[in-house]
Each structure stands twice: as C-alpha cells, then as structure tokens.
Amino acid sequence: MRPASDALIVIDVQNDFCPGGALAVAGGDAVVAPINAMMDDFAVRVLTQDWHPADHRSFAAQHPGARPFSMTEMPYGPQVLWPTHCVQGTPGAAFHPDLRTDPADLILRKGFRREIDSYSAFFENDRTTPTGLQGYLRSRGVSSVTLVGLATDFCVGYSALDAARLGFVVTVELGACRAIDLDGSLAQALEQMRAAGVTLVGAT
Ligand code: VGL
Ligand code: ZN
C-alpha cells in the first residue's frame, strides 16, 4: 500500500475509447486489467469520465463540412475536431464494463461545457477553467499522482502536464495507457512530459 499522499487517477477508460467505440484507441481495452490490479495499492482513487453534451463544439459533426481529426480554431486556440464521442448518458460514455469502479472515491466528469473541450482532469482546454480536482486532491493531502488510462497523448498527457505545473509529483504508467497518435502526437506528448519532470514508467 502506498502512502495516503499518493493518488491513482484513471483517465477516461470508457467504451467509446475502446475497440468498437466511436473514438477507439488501438488496444484501449488492454489498460483495464493492469489498472484494476493497481487500485488496491492506492488510498486515493479517482476516475475521470469524458462527458459531452450531444452538440459539443469539439465534434466534427457540429462544423459543417469538417472531417473528423481535422483542426479548427477555438477562442482558446487550436482544437482537434473529433468524431462524436462520450455523449452524456450513452453506452459509449459508460466505463468499460470490466473496469473496477466501486473502489473509486471520486468520479470526475469533464468536457460538459458545450463551448470548450477538456482533455486535462485539472483544467479545461483554455488551461484556466478549473475542474475542481486540484482542490479535491489538496484537501485530501495528496502530493503525488500516478496517471493511467486513455489516451496517452491527449487526456493523460494534458493531465500529467497540468499536475506537474501545479506542483504534484507525477508518474505516468505507460503500460496502463494507450495512445491515439495523431500526426506524431504521442512522441510530442512523451517529450513534453519528460521536459516537465514527469516520471514515465515503461518508456522505451
Ligand atoms: C480524449 C479526445 C477527445 C481522451 C477525450 O480521453 O484522450 N481525447 N476527448
Ligand atoms: Zn472528448
């Protein structure tokens, strides 16, 4: 058992990010078994859930003529346009059926504001609107976080960079993560995490 100051943060292990889902990550379901096995080591466990309204602005379908995985400009900067995914209350937004959710202390939903995407578990994509997770972890005495889940180069990576920026000691267990890897986004995310002082376990 790790000290009470260490939290496990499980990012977006939801059906739409697993094979057969709307924004399937290759091997996304392979993270479930290692994550389930890690949970008992941690006194603080948080699950995040990507949770979008059906007309979310990050969906390509909301931008006439735009293809999924193309780029657009939002008021807060460049934004990938995604296939419609993780719509609130749909089966695609549910956790993978084999993920252990009972041990979670907190289930944090993000991406629920129509106008702004939220990759990170700490801040929305403007990098300033907080989700509240920082306050939750601090008030529970957490100083160190281990991140796992989907996807390495988006929601896990952004969460790791924000956690490091906020002063948490940050570890990413790559064996319990899988990437989307859009135009070199995985290599870029790994490089940015390294530069921010994030410990990458299982990096080659
Ligand atoms: C994610 C793209 C869009 C993720 C969420 O969980 O990494 N990626 N929404
Ligand atoms: Zn999303």
Side-chain angles (χ1 to χ4, degrees):
M1 189 76 173
R2 308 204 188 195
S5 57
D6 285 14
L8 179 66
I9 304 185
V10 179
I11 303 290
D12 299 0
V13 181
Q14 293 166 261
N15 290 323
D16 269 344
F17 298 122
C18 291
L23 179 40
V25 179
D29 51 349
V31 306
V32 173
I35 291 171
N36 283 345
M38 291 172 76
M39 282 191 192
D40 294 326
D41 277 348
F42 288 85
V44 179
R45 307 142 182 166
V46 176
L47 309 183
T48 71
Q49 202 171 18
D50 210 38
W51 196 249
H52 299 306
D55 59 352
H56 195 256
R57 295 289 293 164
S58 77
F59 296 164
Q62 298 298 309
H63 301 256
R67 287 185 319 276
F69 305 106
S70 63
M71 298 295 300
T72 193
E73 278 296 322
M74 297 289 208
Y76 50 82
Q79 167 73 47
V80 181
L81 291 176
W82 300 107
T84 298
H85 66 278
C86 295
V87 173
Q88 296 169 0
T90 64
F95 290 113
H96 186 288
D98 297 332
L99 182 71
R100 293 174 63 205
T101 57
D102 288 350
D105 302 331
L106 174 72
I107 293 176
L108 181 105
R109 289 171 169 169
K110 61 186 179 63
F112 48 76
R113 289 189 180 85
R114 177 178 180 271
E115 306 296 335
I116 181 166
D117 207 0
S118 187
Y119 296 151
S120 166
F122 292 92
F123 295 100
E124 304 199 7
N125 283 11
D126 60 3
R127 312 311 290 266
T128 55
T129 304
T131 63
L133 183 57
Q134 181 193 10
Y136 178 83
L137 294 174
R138 294 257 186 250
S139 58
R140 291 200 57 189
V142 170
S143 56
S144 171
V145 295
T146 295
L147 294 163
V148 292
L150 306 171
T152 320
D153 42 347
F154 287 93
C155 291
V156 176
Y158 275 64
S159 299
L161 293 176
D162 280 346
R165 180 161 62 96
L166 292 170
F168 292 97
V169 175
V170 186
T171 302
V172 173
E173 292 275 353
L174 291 172
C177 299
R178 290 295 182 278
I180 296 174
D181 204 10
L182 205 60
D183 293 331
S185 57
L186 176 58
Q188 188 188 343
L190 294 174
E191 185 47 46
Q192 287 177 334
M193 287 192 274
R194 267 192 204 100
V198 173
T199 299
L200 298 176
V201 177
T204 47

